[in-house]
Structure formats: structure tokens, C-alpha cells
């Protein structure tokens, strides 16, 4: 019996403020130049209000009163859903976030709120959203226009839930597949990652011809602020250990890990997130030369720099062991907004102490706030702080699901097709007597979508709406073909049934060299997202295989790290490898 294996990667004090005189308030006048609006607003701000703008807190600890009293600059969703009778409804998200926004607008100066979410492959933490293939699959396509369209669709689906800021894209250059977040990387090749930064103008809009390169840009109410992450070198840590140390000289850092950020800045990216990892032993969250020196001064980045979630705490081991020192180090290094989580009063108290006692200079605070306000003004938040319920229609809409299905088709890589060159197994026939589908990922939307889906680590089960690979197989084969699914069949079961062929859907990329000879065909489907029919579109020949590996497939772990161009390069399947097929018309 022929077998096909699919690898699915897979405050201090509460003040009573005097009412602001509404006459001659330049920051509220959209006809005023951007610089004038920023200066006017900053001249009106107290130290407490400035520090509040630098603070991003978890929505679970936010209330209208907190946002009003502390002038909090941003919220993030760290939970999967809003509190609502119908949490899957986009209207529930819009109402929740608009309610938070009313709290911010009721503060003394009425500075609107940014609300962020990890929309790393679609608005993926929201039920019913379209989930696109993870970056590891998109890099395979080399299709920059496709990726830009995915950015456009993602922005609409994020706006559909009232959210205006996405912690995406990840532009890590993964140099070792042992890194558990390698699926978030477009490629081991910085040139491919650079090309895929075209998702940024998809999310934010393209800078107009008379626009300034490097200045943050957001092109209207159907666009969102984006975030290039994780600056810098997160994909090059020793042995691929997450949050570890990237050991590489400055030239290597500039040539491998930095190029995507250069392109992101040129394309008007609004924010950049700092990595938990270190560079040559120095934690990135306190790296003055790379944050202030290179990113802000050399690259002329004018957006704001944000920490990773509780990244300031992680400057010490154990985390939070010397929080005062950690806050001073990170803010002095150039971090403008701190992703705090729940302990926002501690952060605000520490910041106030450090500034008033000259441990953090006031010009560092002013630089941070100027950057944050610049982004909020270019987003149009002062003119349009709320989301209209009519935007809800974009969540999971069919056009986006069709786009995701196309992305799945183009992301598949055919690694083996038949035991003999002249006897290909694929495409599969739609008409057979009986076929077997097996494996833990064959009928599981959660496994199929992977991490950053509803929960940050992902979760098994039917956690959101989509089409599993098993369902896709049943839809595409002839009605007379019997499709049997057994997750883990015994050898005796297989022998006692006369199956025409089996489709085996397994997990992450592992050492597969010993098993390749017993496979009749092998397809890398990565983590394709919610649209499983994109897989069967190609397996059954309606479309041809076109994908080429964007990451080297190793033979043994002892070879790692191993990347294209290395002197010891001896892969199982090399970078750029991928067999192609032609579409076939089946009767």
C-alpha cells in the first residue's frame, strides 16, 4: 500500500484635573502639521501623563477608571476572548475596546489608546478569524504580492474586532531549527525575510510617493499599526535555545539578522519589539548601542520601540529580582513603551522615582513620548478613536479564506514523489475504492494552525472555525470513495483492509532520514492554518506543486546549525529544493 506523509509544522496619587481650555488646542486640530501637534500636546503633559503613555498593560487589569487616572498609553490582549455573552462575536470585541477607549478619552488630555494583539498569522487569537499559514510556509512561496495581500486581509480582520495594533510581523532569521519558534521565521536566508517584509505595507498601507522613508505610516481606518520583531538576533541563539545568547560579530549581525529591520524601517513600520535574547552576552532589553545607537540614530527609525511581554523583568535571573535597576537599564537603552502586564503601578512608581532622582534623564522620557504620540497621530486615533460595528463583517470573510487557501497551495513543498522517478505517486486519484487517513494532525484544527492560535502556545482540538485536512479529503474525492480515519492504526488493521493508499499527517520537522525510503511520497505542509482544502487542492492535482524550501532540511541533529553556504553543508533536502507538478484534469 502506498503511503503519503504530510509534515504539518504543523499612581502615585489620583489628581483632580482642571478642564483643558478648548481654545487654541493645536494637538486636536488635524489641519496642523504633525510636529506642531506633538509639541503642543507634550507641552501640556505632566510627568505622570508622560509615563502613563509609556505604559502598556494587560486588558484584564484595565478599567475605564485606570485608563483615565493613569493616562495609560496602550492595552494588549493576553487572554483569548473578551468577557461577553457571545465572546466569539466581533461585536463583543469592538464594544469592549470602545469602552476602554472612552476611559482614555475621559482623561485630562483625552489621549486615545492603542490596543495590541498577537495577530501573527491572521487575527489568530480571535475565534472565527481566518488563520493563514505560519511564516515558515509563506517563505516557501517567495510571493511578495501574496504576502502583501495577507497583510491587507489581516489588517481588516484585526480592525473587525476594534483592534488597531498587531505585534507582527516576526522578521527573525532562523538559523537553527531547534529553535522552537522557527515556524515564525520566513527563512534562514535574510534575503527572503527581507522580501517578506512586504507584509508591512499590507498591514499599514504603502507610503505615498511624497512620504518620508523611515517615518511611521498608517494609511487609514482599514489599516493598523504593525510591529517588526524581535530585535535583533532572536533566530540565531546558541543551539536554538529560546531567549538565549546569539554569538556573532557585528558584521555577521548586520549581514544576517539586521537586514529585515532596515527594510521594515524604510517601509514605515510603526513599532519595533525588542527580543528576550542576548547578543554576545548582553540582553537586548538593555543594549544601548543597538537600540539607541543603531536603530534610532543610524537607521533613523522614528516610530517607537516596545519591550516584549515583561521583558524588562527578565533582565535579571530570576526575573524581577532588581526591578528598579531593570527599569532604569531598559528605558535608558531606548525602550519607549513597556509591555508590563499587570504590575503597572509598580512600573509607574519606579519610573517616577528614577526620573525625579535623575537616574533617567527627562529628555529620554520626552523622546519616548514624542515617538508614541507620533504613531498615534499618524494612525488617525485623535480623529477616529472608535471602531464602527460595520467593520465586524470582515472577520473570517470568504475572500480572506480563499486567499488563505491560495497561500496554503503555494506553501506546500513536494519532497518526494514516488519510489521511482518514472512512477510518480502524486497527484492522487479522486476515485478509489477505500483510502486511509491517519495521524494526530489530520482532523485537528488546533494542531493544523499551530502556535499563536487562540492561545499563544496554540491548542489541540477544534479551537476555531476551519477545514481540517481530513474534511478536505472527504470533500474532494469522488462520492464513491470510502474515506476511513484512524488516528493511530495497528499494523493488523492496515493489513486487514484493502486500502488504495494512506495519507499520514504527522507533526513538527524531525529527523526523518531513516523513514524516507518507506514513504512513497512526502509533502511538507508546515502549519497551513484553517484552510485545509489548500492542501488537497494540490494533493489531488487541481493545482501543481510549486513551493521551494526556505529552510534547510537536515539529516541529523549533529549537523546543526547548518545553513546554505556553510562548508559542512550536507542536507537531506537542500535550501531551494522542491519538486514541481502540473495541474491535472481528472474525470
Amino acid at each position: 500500500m502506498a503511503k503519503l506523509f504530510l509534515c504539518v509544522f504543523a499612581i502615585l496619587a489620583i489628581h483632580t484635573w482642571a478642564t483643558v481650555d478648548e481654545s487654541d488646542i493645536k494637538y486636536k486640530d488635524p489641519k496642523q502639521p504633525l510636529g506642531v501637534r506633538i509639541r503642543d500636546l507634550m507641552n501640556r503633559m505632566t510627568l505622570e501623563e508622560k509615563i502613563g503613555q509609556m505604559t502598556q498593560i494587560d486588558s484584564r487589569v484595565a478599567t475605564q477608571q485606570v485608563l483615565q487616572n493613569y493616562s495609560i498609553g496602550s492595552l494588549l490582549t493576553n487572554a483569548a476572548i473578551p468577557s461577553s455573552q457571545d465572546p466569539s462575536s466581533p461585536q463583543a470585541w469592538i464594544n469592549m475596546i470602545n469602552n476602554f477607549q472612552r476611559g482614555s478619552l475621559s482623561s485630562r488630555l483625552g489621549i486615545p489608546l492603542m490596543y495590541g494583539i498577537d495577530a501573527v498569522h491572521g487575527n489568530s487569537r480571535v475565534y472565527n478569524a481566518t488563520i493563514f499559514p505560519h511564516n515558515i510556509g509563506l517563505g516557501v512561496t517567495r510571493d511578495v504580492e501574496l504576502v502583501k495581500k495577507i497583510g491587507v486581509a489581516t489588517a481588516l480582520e484585526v480592525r473587525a474586532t476594534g483592534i488597531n495594533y498587531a505585534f507582527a510581523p516576526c522578521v527573525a532569521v532562523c538559523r537553527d531549527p531547534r529553535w522552537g519558534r522557527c515556524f515564525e521565521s520566513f527563512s534562514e536566508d535574510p534575503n527572503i525575510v527581507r522580501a517578506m517584509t512586504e507584509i508591512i505595507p499590507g498591514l499599514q498601507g504603502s507610503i505615498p510617493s511624497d512620504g518620508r522613508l523611515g517615518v511611521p505610516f498608517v494609511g487609514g481606518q482599514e489599516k493598523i499599526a504593525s510591529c517588526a520583531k524581535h530585535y535583533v538576533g532572536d533566530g540565531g541563539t546558541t543551539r536554538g535555545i529560546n531567549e538565549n545568547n546569539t554569538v556573532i560579530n557585528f558584521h555577521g549581525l548586520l549581514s544576517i539578522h539586521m537586514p529585515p529591520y532596515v527594510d521594515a524601517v524604510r517601509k514605515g513600520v510603526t513599532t519595533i519589539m525588542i527580543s528576550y535574547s542576548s547578543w554576545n552576552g548582553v540582553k537586548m532589553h538593555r543594549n544601548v548601542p543597538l537600540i539607541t545607537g543603531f536603530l534610532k540614530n543610524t537607521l533613523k527609525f522614528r516610530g517607537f520601540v516596545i519591550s516584549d511581554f515583561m521583558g524588562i523583568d527578565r533582565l535579571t535571573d530570576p526575573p524581577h529580582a532588581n526591578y528598579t535597576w531593570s527599569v532604569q537599564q531598559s528605558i535608558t537603552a531606548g525602550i519607549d513603551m513597556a509591555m508590563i502586564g499587570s504590575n503597572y503601578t509598580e512600573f509607574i512608581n519606579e519610573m517616577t522615582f528614577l526620573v525625579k532622582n535623575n537616574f533617567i534623564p527627562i529628555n529620554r522620557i520626552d523622546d519616548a513620548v514624542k515617538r508614541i504620540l507620533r504613531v498615534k497621530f499618524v494612525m488617525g486615533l485623535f480623529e477616529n478613536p472608535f471602531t464602527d460595528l460595520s467593520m465586524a463583517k470582515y472577520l473570517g470573510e470568504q475572500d480572506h479564506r480563499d486567499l488563505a487557501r491560495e497561500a496554503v497551495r503555494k506553501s506546500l513543498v513536494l519532497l518526494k514523489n514516488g519510489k521511482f522517478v518514472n512512477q510518480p505517486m502524486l497527484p492522487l486519484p479522486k476515485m478509489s475504492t477505500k483510502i486511509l487517513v491517519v495521524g494526530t494532525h489530520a482532523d485537528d484544527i488546533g494542531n493544523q494552525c499551530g502556535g499563536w492560535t487562540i492561545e499563544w502556545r496554540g491548542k489541540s482540538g477544534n479551537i476555531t472555525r476551519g477545514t481540517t485536512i481530513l474534511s478536505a479529503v472527504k470533500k474532494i474525492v469522488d462520492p464513491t470513495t470510502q474515506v476511513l480515519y484512524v488516528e493511530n492504526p495497528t499494523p493488523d488493521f492496515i493489513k486487514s483492509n484493502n486500502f488504495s493508499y494512506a495519507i499520514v499527517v504527522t507533526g513538527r520537522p524531525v529527523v526523518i532520514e531513516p523513514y524516507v525510503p518507506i514513504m512513497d511520497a512526502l509533502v511538507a505542509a508546515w502549519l497551513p492554518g484553517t484552510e485545509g482544502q489548500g492542501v488537497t487542492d494540490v494533493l489531488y492535482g487541481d493545482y501543481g506543486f510549486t513551493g521551494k524550501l526556505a529552510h534547510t532540511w537536515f539529516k541529523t541533529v549533529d549537523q546543526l546549525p547548518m545553513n546554505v553556504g556553510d562548508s559542512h553543508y550536507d542536507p537531506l533536502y537542500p535550501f531551494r529544493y522542491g519538486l514541481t507538478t502540473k495541474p491535472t484534469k481528472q474525470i
Side-chain angles (χ1 to χ4, degrees):
M1 176 187 65
K3 296 172 290 296
L4 167 67
F5 285 71
L6 289 177
C7 293
V8 183
F9 280 41
I11 239 195
L12 300 173
I14 296 175
H15 300 273
T16 300
W17 302 109
T19 302
V20 176
D21 183 2
E22 290 291 333
S23 64
D24 194 32
I25 303 180
K26 295 180 180 178
Y27 77 86
K28 291 188 176 182
D29 183 0
K31 296 179 181 179
Q32 294 289 336
L34 176 60
V36 171
R37 299 183 76 182
I38 294 172
R39 285 191 298 272
D40 180 67
L41 179 50
M42 289 191 65
N43 287 338
R44 299 171 187 271
M45 296 176 73
T46 64
L47 174 61
E48 289 80 9
E49 288 168 330
K50 291 176 180 179
I51 291 172
Q53 285 300 299
M54 297 173 66
T55 309
Q56 183 182 71
I57 70 175
D58 194 321
S59 61
R60 290 177 294 186
V61 297
T63 65
Q64 284 192 348
Q65 202 66 41
V66 167
L67 297 172
Q68 176 183 359
N69 292 345
Y70 293 92
S71 191
I72 297 297
S74 179
L75 297 181
L76 78 152
T77 279
N78 201 31
I81 57 176
S83 176
S84 168
Q85 290 291 327
D86 183 10
S88 67
S89 164
Q91 288 88 348
W93 284 89
I94 293 173
N95 290 335
M96 178 187 74
I97 295 167
N98 282 347
N99 189 51
F100 284 136
Q101 193 67 273
R102 291 184 186 95
S104 293
L105 296 177
S106 65
S107 64
R108 186 179 73 97
L109 296 171
I111 304 174
L113 184 75
M114 290 179 68
Y115 194 106
I117 195 168
D118 286 287
V120 302
H121 59 142
N123 195 6
S124 52
R125 302 199 74 176
V126 175
Y127 185 82
N128 272 343
T130 305
I131 312 299
F132 295 91
H134 265 296
N135 289 353
I136 193 169
L138 296 181
V140 161
T141 72
R142 272 68 160 187
D143 192 331
V144 297
E145 287 303 314
L146 173 68
V147 170
K148 186 175 183 178
K149 290 177 183 177
I150 289 173
V152 172
T154 298
L156 286 171
E157 297 215 10
V158 170
R159 281 288 190 175
T161 51
I163 301 169
N164 51 36
Y165 180 24
F167 306 128
C170 177
V171 294
V173 181
C174 178
R175 305 292 284 180
D176 192 324
R178 289 174 293 186
W179 184 39
R181 298 181 67 168
C182 204
F183 65 88
E184 297 183 53
S185 170
F186 291 109
S187 179
E188 70 187 45
D189 179 2
N191 290 321
I192 291 179
V193 182
R194 291 183 68 179
M196 296 295 107
T197 61
E198 195 64 12
I199 195 172
I200 293 170
L203 292 163
Q204 298 190 167
S206 298
I207 299 175
S209 57
D210 60 347
R212 292 175 55 196
L213 296 178
V215 177
F217 176 81
V218 179
Q221 296 308 294
E222 293 187 344
K223 300 298 181 180
I224 59 175
S226 71
C227 181
K229 65 183 187 182
H230 310 84
Y231 185 86
V232 60
D234 53 337
T237 58
T238 301
R239 297 188 300 280
I241 299 172
N242 195 35
E243 305 179 23
N244 204 246
N245 187 29
T246 296
V247 180
I248 193 171
N249 61 31
F250 189 51
H251 173 75
L253 190 76
L254 291 184
S255 61
I256 295 174
H257 299 286
M258 192 66 75
Y261 292 96
V262 177
D263 289 341
V265 170
R266 287 173 178 168
K267 293 176 181 180
V269 70
T270 49
T271 75
I272 290 176
M273 186 185 294
I274 302 303
S275 176
Y276 288 131
S277 60
S278 303
W279 175 52
N280 293 337
V282 179
K283 286 278 191 180
M284 278 304 309
H285 273 72
R286 60 181 293 256
N287 197 305
V288 179
L290 287 180
I291 300 175
T292 296
F294 194 82
L295 179 59
K296 292 185 174 182
N297 295 341
T298 301
L299 295 185
K300 307 298 183 184
F301 174 58
R302 292 294 177 263
F304 70 78
V305 174
I306 187 169
S307 77
D308 206 333
F309 185 72
M310 298 183 71
I312 291 174
D313 302 57
R314 301 194 194 196
L315 284 180
T316 57
D317 186 13
H320 205 79
N322 189 342
Y323 194 56
T324 304
W325 177 86
S326 297
V327 170
Q328 187 273 335
Q329 289 285 298
S330 59
I331 301 302
T332 301
I335 289 177
D336 304 309
M337 182 178 284
M339 192 184 293
I340 294 302
S342 60
N343 65 320
Y344 60 93
T345 54
E346 182 183 14
F347 173 76
I348 290 171
N349 289 340
E350 296 288 359
M351 282 284 288
T352 306
F353 168 83
L354 289 165
V355 175
K356 288 186 173 181
N357 288 276
N358 299 317
F359 293 106
I360 297 177
I362 191 63
N363 62 356
R364 174 75 272 277
I365 302 302
D366 287 346
D367 171 65
V369 176
K370 181 178 180 180
R371 291 169 177 274
I372 293 165
L373 294 180
R374 180 184 289 122
V375 169
K376 290 187 175 186
F377 279 120
V378 301
M379 291 174 69
L381 284 180
F382 284 79
E383 290 70 55
N384 296 286
F386 299 110
T387 296
D388 192 284
L389 288 171
S390 65
M391 293 293 291
K393 65 185 179 184
Y394 293 115
L395 187 71
E397 75 167 17
Q398 191 58 48
D399 286 351
H400 299 165
R401 293 190 180 274
D402 292 344
L403 178 64
R405 186 171 174 175
E406 176 188 353
V408 175
R409 292 195 294 261
K410 293 181 175 180
S411 68
L412 303 180
V413 181
L414 180 55
L415 298 171
K416 180 180 180 180
N417 191 13
K419 290 188 176 180
F420 303 98
V421 175
N422 61 346
Q423 296 180 20
M425 181 184 180
L426 301 178
L428 296 169
K430 294 180 181 178
M431 182 178 290
S432 300
T433 304
K434 183 166 56 173
I435 63 176
L436 176 65
V437 180
V438 309
T440 57
H441 288 53
D443 194 30
D444 192 307
I445 283 291
N447 288 351
Q448 187 172 301
C449 291
W452 295 117
T453 308
I454 306 301
E455 299 182 7
W456 77 269
R457 288 175 172 166
K459 187 178 181 180
S460 296
N462 294 323
I463 60 175
T464 193
R465 184 166 67 91
T467 302
T468 67
I469 293 173
L470 174 64
S471 296
V473 170
K474 291 179 177 179
K475 287 180 181 180
I476 201 169
V477 297
D478 187 89
T480 63
T481 300
Q482 182 182 356
V483 180
L484 195 62
Y485 171 64
V486 181
E487 182 176 313
N488 188 23
T490 64
D492 288 342
F493 174 83
I494 295 173
K495 291 176 183 178
S496 64
N497 286 272
N498 187 25
F499 294 111
S500 302
Y501 56 86
I503 299 175
V504 184
V505 192
T506 60
R508 294 178 67 93
V510 293
V511 177
I512 62 171
E513 185 182 28
Y515 311 105
V516 172
I518 66 172
M519 304 175 189
D520 293 282
L522 175 62
V523 174
W526 318 108
L527 290 163
T530 52
E531 308 311 301
Q533 287 176 273
V535 175
T536 55
D537 284 343
V538 184
L539 286 183
Y540 287 89
D542 291 351
Y543 295 81
F545 283 93
T546 59
K548 304 291 182 180
L549 288 179
H551 292 79
T552 297
W553 203 304
F554 57 97
K555 291 179 180 176
T556 70
V557 174
D558 293 337
Q559 295 177 298
L560 300 177
M562 178 178 64
N563 296 279
V564 61
D566 289 349
S567 58
H568 66 291
Y569 197 69
D570 182 29
L572 177 61
Y573 295 110
F575 177 81
R576 297 191 188 93
Y577 181 83
L579 303 173
T580 59
T581 62
K582 298 287 187 180
T584 61
K585 185 176 182 180
Q586 299 187 29
I587 300 175

